Amino acid sequence: MLTESFLQMIPNKFTKIYGGNLSNPVFLKAPDGIKWKVYWTKDDGGRIWLNKGWKEFATHYSLRYGHMVMFKYKETHNLDVMIFEGGVHLK
């Protein structure tokens, strides 16, 4: 079973490039056009963890093991989100 903490971490590569410019909260724009307000925290290792609002986002889109979530940086407070399952882009 996939742990909730794994689902919440933004990849280190993304964090290194955009983490210093990311507002808190950030708005995740899902494939269906809905914007979700999500707060994040940064740990001692510089990793960004999505917390308040993420569980609702993940539940709404039924995220589970096998899904890949890609974030595209749009501006300091907006990220476009793409959700894939088995290599197929979900809309």
Side-chain angles (χ1 to χ4, degrees):
M1 180 171 188
L2 192 60
T3 64
E4 191 172 316
S5 62
F6 179 81
L7 286 173
Q8 295 176 0
M9 189 179 85
I10 299 276
N12 290 334
K13 185 175 181 179
F14 184 94
T15 301
K16 287 178 184 177
I17 296 170
Y18 302 111
N21 296 324
L22 204 56
S23 69
N24 200 8
V26 66
F27 291 89
L28 305 180
K29 184 178 177 192
D32 59 9
I34 298 173
K35 282 191 175 183
W36 296 78
K37 184 192 294 188
V38 177
Y39 292 85
W40 56 268
T41 57
K42 191 181 282 191
D43 69 14
D44 293 337
R47 293 173 296 200
I48 291 179
W49 295 84
L50 299 174
N51 50 34
K52 184 179 176 187
W54 174 254
K55 184 177 180 180
E56 294 78 9
F57 177 89
T59 299
H60 182 81
Y61 295 102
S62 302
L63 297 182
R64 63 185 185 285
Y65 186 81
H67 283 116
M68 180 175 70
V69 181
M70 292 181 62
F71 300 95
K72 183 176 182 182
Y73 181 83
K74 296 300 282 187
E75 46 191 87
T76 59
H77 57 279
N78 286 304
L79 301 176
D80 282 349
V81 179
M82 293 176 282
I83 302 171
F84 297 86
E85 182 176 17
V88 177
H89 183 238
L90 302 176
K91 293 186 182 188

